[in-house]
Amino acid sequence: MTNLACVFGNPIAQSKSPQIHAAFAKQCGIELSYTRNLAEINQFRKAADDFFAQSESVGANVTMPFKHDALEWVDELSTQASRAGAVNTIVRRSDKFVGDNTDGLGLVSDLNRLGLDLHQKRVLMIGAGGAAKGAIPALVDAGVSHLQIQNRSAEKAQELTDVVNRYAPKLACCFGSQTLQVFDLVVNATSLSMHNELPDIPNSVFEQAPMVYDMVYANSPTVFMRHAKKIGNCDTADGLGMLVGQAAHSFNLWFGKMPNTREVLAQLREEA
Ligand code: NDP
């Protein structure tokens, strides 16, 4: 039997997920047909109902703008999805559909791949949108000691800080720029690099941070990575490894096999 999976989104033509999952399936010897599913805006429920009416469908990924619709469609949520307030992975279990969120694990796996152990680390998260919300629960589980959230819209940073403080009361989590200090890791979870723009962050942050990560990925280093490198002596990375990492964790939820991400990441870089 060929297993079916897909990624729901709108737009979706740009998604690299079919290529990534095809490579994982080949690596793990699993028969999988993974397709792009362009759902109409406001029609996620119908698209998901139709896709999962096929008995061979094992699961799906969900990307913008449907991560919240997916949260409402599933029967049950994982802790990560519930904390993130968004679902990026749907898993068919025998009698129900479970919504999970592997974005944060994807980021943490990629940071580990880059040699960063997050235990007791101080993190600056720039952005308070879906990507930041998805990433933070896994950073908390990985043992970061301090989290500061900085966002253009301060009230969103404050709201997210309040949410994090509720599920992780022992973590030192705060928002705003007034208390900016020294960080072990700076993560750009805004979409600014896609428009070749930079967030409003003082240069001193980049002078001291050993690792700077941009969730946006591109064929060459993003403007954020180049800026950080120009100012500080930091290691930089884009979000392609996070993308492959979150896909690997989804694949593992569906098939119980964790694929080798390095191989697939190298393949994607070569093709870029
Ligand atoms: P959202 O739309 O939910 O959030 C966008 C974030 O960017 C908000 O914090 C927003 O601030 C900020 N922002 C946007 N425009 C500006 C601006 N002009 N100036 C300052 N801040 C700005 O998007 P997501 O959080 O879902 O995604 C963010 C990025 O992360 C995307 O580019 C996406 O491609 C990438 N991503 C990468 C993943 C990966 O696997 N590598 C996974 C998920 C996302 P404000 O709240 O003030 O509007």
Side-chain angles (χ1 to χ4, degrees), residues 59-115:
N61 287 123
V62 184
T63 188
M64 278 170 70
F66 300 122
K67 289 184 180 182
H68 192 260
D69 299 86
L71 181 128
E72 302 201 322
W73 184 83
V74 296
D75 302 306
E76 194 178 299
L77 292 176
S78 70
T79 305
Q80 296 282 347
S82 159
R83 287 176 169 178
V87 162
N88 86 328
T89 305
I90 298 172
V91 187
R92 183 200 284 273
R93 297 279 180 233
S94 52
D95 56 343
K96 62 188 170 203
F97 292 101
V98 178
D100 211 319
N101 192 313
T102 63
D103 281 336
L105 280 177
L107 173 64
V108 168
S109 303
D110 199 38
L111 290 167
N112 292 161
R113 176 188 68 86
L114 294 162

Side-chain angles (χ1 to χ4, degrees), residues 127-131 151-153 156 189-192 194 215-216 239 242-243:
N151 193 47
R152 171 181 60 178
S153 315
K156 280 211 220 161
T190 74
S191 47
L192 279 166
M194 292 175 82
M215 286 197 191
V216 169
M242 173 178 173
L243 179 78

Side-chain angles (χ1 to χ4, degrees), residues 93-164:
R93 297 279 180 233
S94 52
D95 56 343
K96 62 188 170 203
F97 292 101
V98 178
D100 211 319
N101 192 313
T102 63
D103 281 336
L105 280 177
L107 173 64
V108 168
S109 303
D110 199 38
L111 290 167
N112 292 161
R113 176 188 68 86
L114 294 162
L116 186 68
D117 174 2
L118 287 157
H119 189 66
Q120 293 295 314
K121 294 294 190 293
R122 293 155 300 180
V123 180
L124 173 63
M125 178 66 67
I126 310 166
K133 286 180 185 151
I136 291 172
L139 293 175
V140 169
D141 287 349
V144 303
S145 61
H146 180 109
L147 179 69
Q148 188 158 323
I149 302 169
Q150 168 79 8
N151 193 47
R152 171 181 60 178
S153 315
E155 69 280 9
K156 280 211 220 161
Q158 177 165 15
E159 267 170 41
L160 182 53
T161 303
D162 291 345
V163 169
V164 176

